[in-house]
Amino acid sequence: MKRLFNALFLIPLLLMSSLLKAEDGYRLWLRYDLINDQLILNLYNKSITGFMIEGSSPTLKAAGNELQIGLNGLLGRVIHPITSIKKDGTIVAGTVQSSPLIAALNIKYRLTQINDEGYIIISTVYQKKTIIVIAANTDKGVLYGTFHFLRIMQTHQSISGLSIDNSPKTKLRLLNHWDNLNRTVERGYAGLSLWDWKTLPDSISPRYTDYARANASIGINGTVLTNVNANALILTKEYLVKVAALANIFRPYGIKVYLTARFSAPVEIGKLKTADPLDPDVIAWWNKKVEEIYSYIPDFGGFLIKANSEGQPGPQNYKRSHADGANMFADALAPHKGIVMWRAFVYDNNVPDDRAKQAYNEFVPLDGQFRKNVIIQVKNGPIDFQPREPFHPLFGAMPSTPLMPEFQITQEYLGFSTHLVFQAPLYEECLKSDTYSEGKGSLVARVIDGNLEGHSLTAMAGVSNIGSDRNWTGHPFGQANWYAFGRLAWDPYLTSDAIADEWLKMTFSNDNKFVENLKKVMLASRNITVNYMTPIGLHHIMYAGLHYGPGPWVDKGRQDWTAVYYHRADSAGIGFNRTSTGSNAVGQYFQPVRDVYESLATCPENLLLWFHHVSWDYKLKSGNTVWEELCFRYNMGVDSVRWMQKQWLEAKGIVDNERFEKVSSLLVKQEENAKVWRDACLLYFQTFSKRPIPEKYEKPDKTLEYYKNLKYSF
Ligand code: GCW
């Protein structure tokens, strides 16, 4: 009888799991569909009978809601919240303060071992009943623990004998939106800005809550709403009430709101004659402005500021330093516990001998001069979010100042939302780079998590790729970059492999073969893009302005915005000499990194043309000359996109049709574009190398002129 019942019970379940409903990607990785592995489902069903959230704060309510939707979806039955434990298999979540039950458990010591946002998840026995406990020191920790627990279930891991302690390794984990007030997004490729300034604060889109849920699920706890190329109007009352409305929605999810402050705001909206940071009227104006902001948003996070860079105003306009500027804001924010994130991505109107050196040159002398609530935000590499750059030499070089890395999640130089490029390996490469600032093992990750230099203000920022597109990020795999950024900001030591694994399972399927295949694709995708765009250390040879297709011939306009400034190809060879006989950018790195980059024999080949100008016949370890290696890499890049297409074909039937077709069609575009990159770059560089493209490779089917005349529009 029982068997028959089980069998009958199975039929609808099997039917449901085999019906792949079309999905538009809106649910991201928080899909909570019925678990389609019967064995796992049975085990989970036995182990979970109910859940109990002890406490009633908005954050605990959010955790309860998530558990409710998550469990109902994954288990395919309604799991009711309960108020007392009557059966085995209850999930109990709360803090010592909110939950008498948790207070009664013997976990006090364990709770002292996690930080404010950390959590523990354990299986234990309470009054002879087996329970699963999600406990934390704060409500926020409970929320993060809840998401972790659901992730365990979404990825079909065991929920018996749980014993997890987890704390974020950085304090602030932020998205930077480059969103303008007219809803365009600078370098955004997923529709308009999510922030509908016209209808706020009266109309509140449910998307704001889903945005907050998604961020909380990966530990993001702050969002800078506006573009670093700032508009002072955001600081006016008209906008601040709108910002406050967003802050109110995000607050239960542990997300603070930050804004970009335009340096010249006192002049533009304050009617002052100057924005000099040492002028008493300017100081008073900012103090008042900050007070006003806190009157609307009591937990406002602070400012992100781009100053004296790419035409943005800043303290140098008044012959003051970056420290003078940052400290003025810091003093205004300090009484409210706000912080200043001051960007080190600076370059002025004079073309430097090497743009890669500028941030270091301007900031290192200021080390130790910033207030305690200032953190310097440094791009991962010294130029600008290229497919591959060495780590930024500022990491480790300002030991008395907290530094935070800025990664780009949006794919400005990585094929926009058209190319499948999983960026975790790019982030990981930077985080795991050894700066040697305090000897071997001085990883960038240790600089930024405060461990190396003893800073308590620690943070990581990612330039958002999110927009109003139904699937948030344009390319379905763009979601993986948002996800990966959050996970790495929480724990900069995670591996790309582990992150891809989780994301694929939650976003698509737990099918073993699917996960293994697509993980290979994801992990290889960044290097594939480097191969067809900028192999062996080439950089910034993109189509001018837009940065989508190739433009190695670009030579007009400001020198350090052209491609020829960076690749320096001539009849003798190719590459930017940044060694001691060239711009000496290598001199900004600690030993032995400096020597490693300086010497042709030891310089990593994937950065060869970043640091060296070498002859076309220079031999690489592969035995290829530089010219042959370029031909090989560009071709391999294109071939690998075809390989990605093949791997994706195998996902048919495992992934729903809608997302399957979307990715398939984007991969077709990616191949076309990779071919253009290959052919345009090889034909162009051939005009210098004067060597043939080896017979074994596909011949470019168009002329160089054709590629030069291609127009890219967005
Ligand atoms: O990557 C470059 C972009 C600019 C951007 C700038 C910056 C917001 O091309 O669009 O401006 O960097 O990071 O400030």
Side-chain angles (χ1 to χ4, degrees):
M1 187 62 196
K2 196 165 174 217
R3 268 216 202 124
L4 179 69
F5 174 79
N6 275 347
L8 287 175
F9 183 62
L10 265 176
I11 295 169
L13 285 183
L14 288 174
L15 267 179
M16 276 171 77
S17 57
S18 63
L19 272 180
L20 289 168
K21 276 183 274 143
E23 287 202 42
D24 55 19
Y26 182 83
R27 294 183 300 162
L28 297 159
W29 48 88
L30 300 176
R31 286 164 63 252
Y32 307 138
D33 279 344
L34 178 67
I35 289 169
N36 60 2
D37 181 319
Q38 196 56 46
L39 204 72
I40 306 258
L41 184 63
N42 288 347
L43 279 173
Y44 286 175
N45 265 322
K46 268 195 213 125
S47 320
I48 300 173
T49 55
F51 76 93
M52 195 168 136
I53 296 277
E54 293 222 293
S56 59
S57 75
T59 299
L60 289 175
K61 272 199 189 129
N65 282 341
E66 205 65 34
L67 260 185
Q68 175 96 66
I69 341 172
L71 294 177
N72 288 0
L74 291 162
L75 301 180
R77 63 192 167 95
V78 182
I79 308 278
H80 292 290
I82 49 177
T83 48
S84 67
I85 299 183
K86 300 216 173 62
K87 284 192 203 155
D88 282 331
T90 303
I91 301 167
V92 184
T95 65
V96 169
Q97 293 77 34
S98 78
S99 161
L101 192 158
I102 285 176
L105 294 174
N106 188 15
I107 55 172
K108 302 240 164 45
Y109 176 74
R110 271 182 98 155
L111 286 172
T112 63
Q113 299 303 296
I114 55 169
N115 65 27
D116 264 7
E117 293 179 298
Y119 51 83
I120 61 179
I121 306 176
I122 51 169
S123 308
T124 189
V125 176
Y126 176 77
Q127 293 179 348
K128 302 205 176 122
K129 301 277 181 277
T130 59
I131 58 172
I132 292 173
V133 178
I134 304 174
N137 296 313
T138 63
D139 296 350
K140 234 171 124 178
V142 177
L143 180 66
Y144 292 141
T146 301
F147 278 114
H148 187 142
F149 179 74
L150 289 168
R151 182 162 71 231
I152 292 175
M153 293 179 68
Q154 288 175 280
T155 52
H156 296 190
Q157 298 171 62
S158 162
I159 54 166
S160 70
L162 290 168
S163 178
I164 295 170
D165 299 73
N166 199 328
S167 295
K169 295 201 164 60
T170 58
K171 207 163 153 191
L172 309 174
R173 305 171 295 276
L174 305 122
L175 286 183
N176 287 185
H177 288 268
W178 286 357
D179 293 17
N180 299 314
L181 301 187
N182 64 5
R183 291 193 77 185
T184 55
V185 180
E186 181 152 352
R187 311 303 179 184
Y189 316 103
L192 295 176
S193 167
L194 282 185
W195 325 132
D196 190 354
W197 298 113
K198 284 205 181 113
T199 60
L200 279 165
D202 304 320
S203 154
I204 300 291
S205 156
R207 262 193 109 141
Y208 300 142
T209 305
D210 288 332
Y211 166 86
R213 284 177 54 229
N215 279 323
S217 77
I218 49 177
I220 287 173
N221 65 4
T223 177
V224 183
L225 298 177
T226 46
N227 191 353
V228 286
N229 291 330
N231 185 332
L233 288 181
I234 192 69
L235 304 174
T236 59
K237 180 179 171 200
E238 189 194 347
Y239 279 95
L240 289 175
V241 294
K242 298 168 191 276
V243 172
L246 289 175
N248 291 342
I249 299 164
F250 301 160
R251 190 169 296 112
Y253 291 90
I255 297 166
K256 277 192 185 178
V257 158
Y258 299 72
L259 293 173
T260 48
R262 185 158 163 89
F263 200 84
S264 48
V267 178
E268 287 166 25
I269 56 170
K271 300 202 180 95
L272 296 190
K273 293 229 157 45
T274 175
D276 180 349
L278 300 192
D279 182 286
D281 290 340
V282 173
I283 296 172
W285 188 86
W286 278 113
N287 285 345
K288 227 174 126 220
K289 184 47 75 185
V290 166
E291 259 174 40
E292 186 191 350
I293 296 176
Y294 279 92
S295 74
Y296 295 111
I297 311 148
D299 55 353
F300 178 65
F303 292 134
L304 167 65
I305 299 165
K306 170 175 177 178
N308 294 119
S309 174
E310 299 187 324
Q312 292 298 308
Q316 292 173 346
N317 299 25
Y318 305 94
K319 302 210 163 37
R320 313 292 186 199
S321 72
H322 284 293
D324 294 329
N327 291 343
M328 171 192 64
F329 289 101
D331 289 341
L333 289 158
H336 310 275
K337 300 202 165 53
I339 62 147
V340 177
M341 294 169 283
W342 191 268
R343 289 176 95 227
F345 177 72
V346 292
Y347 60 97
D348 55 27
N349 301 330
N350 311 313
V351 177
D353 65 326
D354 182 357
R355 200 176 110 189
K357 296 194 305 189
Q358 192 145 351
Y360 181 103
N361 286 345
E362 286 195 31
F363 278 84
V364 168
L366 300 175
D367 189 26
Q369 294 183 29
F370 293 95
R371 299 280 193 268
K372 285 222 159 5
N373 56 337
V374 176
I375 184 163
I376 305 298
Q377 181 163 313
V378 183
K379 286 189 182 179
N380 58 288
I383 295 288
D384 190 12
F385 301 138
Q386 297 302 295
R388 170 165 281 120
E389 297 194 31
F391 68 91
H392 203 299
L394 269 177
F395 293 116
M398 295 182 69
S400 306
T401 311
L403 300 189
M404 61 190 282
E406 172 177 340
F407 292 108
Q408 200 178 41
I409 310 173
T410 193
Q411 294 172 225
E412 176 182 356
Y413 294 95
L414 287 161
F416 296 5
S417 53
T418 305
H419 294 204
L420 189 167
V421 188
F422 180 50
Q423 293 191 73
L426 187 162
Y427 308 155
E428 194 187 346
E429 191 171 287
C430 170
L431 292 166
K432 296 203 171 138
S433 294
D434 197 340
T435 68
Y436 278 86
S437 61
E438 295 190 18
K440 192 172 166 47
S442 307
L443 304 190
V444 171
R446 292 186 57 215
V447 175
I448 65 111
D449 74 4
N451 164 299
L452 193 70
E453 295 154 352
H455 298 298
S456 55
L457 179 55
T458 58
M460 193 151 136
V463 180
S464 152
N465 61 346
I466 305 164
S468 62
D469 276 7
R470 181 69 193 159
N471 75 356
W472 305 86
T473 57
H475 200 302
F477 276 76
Q479 298 178 356
N481 292 328
W482 176 8
Y483 184 84
F485 167 75
R487 298 289 287 126
L488 280 167
W490 180 278
D491 181 355
Y493 303 91
L494 285 179
T495 65
S496 304
D497 188 294
I499 296 170
D501 200 271
E502 285 174 3
W503 180 80
L504 279 166
K505 288 176 176 167
M506 293 194 281
T507 308
F508 289 113
S509 163
N510 275 269
D511 180 274
N512 272 338
K513 189 150 173 262
F514 167 83
V515 173
E516 283 318 309
N517 277 348
L518 267 299
K519 204 156 72 176
K520 278 191 208 129
V521 167
M522 288 174 78
L523 294 178
S525 61
R526 184 280 190 120
N527 269 335
I528 292 171
T529 303
V530 171
N531 279 339
Y532 64 71
M533 284 188 182
T534 53
I536 53 172
L538 284 172
H539 51 289
H540 217 299
I541 56 171
M542 284 73 188
Y543 183 75
L546 211 62
H547 301 160
Y548 181 72
W553 45 80
V554 172
D555 59 358
K556 302 267 170 340
R558 196 188 146 126
Q559 267 304 293
D560 56 349
W561 284 354
T562 66
V564 295
Y565 171 93
Y566 292 101
H567 64 65
R568 309 213 167 183
D570 53 27
S571 58
I574 182 170
F576 197 135
N577 181 1
R578 293 195 164 103
T579 69
S580 55
T581 63
S583 78
N584 199 27
V586 295
Q588 296 183 334
Y589 290 93
F590 289 90
Q591 287 292 27
V593 183
R594 181 187 306 168
D595 282 352
V596 167
Y597 289 153
E598 166 88 12
S599 153
L600 255 181
T602 52
C603 182
E605 286 187 344
N606 61 18
L607 291 171
L608 185 68
L609 306 182
W610 185 285
F611 287 113
H612 295 270
H613 186 82
V614 291
S615 95
W616 293 106
D617 292 325
Y618 174 78
K619 276 236 158 75
L620 285 103
K621 294 194 185 85
S622 60
N624 283 339
T625 64
V626 162
W627 171 248
E628 288 163 352
E629 187 73 9
L630 285 179
C631 294
F632 168 69
R633 297 257 158 208
Y634 274 113
N635 275 283
M636 183 160 75
V638 173
D639 291 345
S640 311
V641 177
R642 293 174 183 148
W643 166 79
M644 299 208 289
Q645 290 170 333
K646 278 209 196 98
Q647 298 298 105
W648 182 250
L649 264 184
E650 292 193 29
K652 200 172 171 69
I654 292 174
V655 169
D656 59 284
N657 239 1
E658 195 172 343
R659 289 185 299 167
F660 177 80
E661 291 301 338
K662 172 111 184 161
V663 174
S664 303
S665 64
L666 287 167
L667 282 168
V668 171
K669 278 273 155 219
Q670 185 168 354
E671 184 199 349
E672 275 168 25
N673 192 233
K675 269 167 69 184
V676 171
W677 265 96
R678 176 192 68 187
D679 295 345
C681 289
L682 287 180
L683 286 175
Y684 170 77
F685 289 128
Q686 193 178 32
T687 63
F688 300 98
S689 80
K690 309 262 190 264
R691 282 149 178 83
I693 297 173
E695 277 300 316
K696 57 185 166 190
Y697 301 125
E698 283 171 30
K699 296 276 147 314
D701 47 13
K702 303 277 189 330
T703 63
L704 178 56
E705 277 320 293
Y706 168 87
Y707 294 114
K708 280 190 175 176
N709 287 324
L710 280 181
K711 295 271 173 296
Y712 299 92
S713 60
F714 177 61

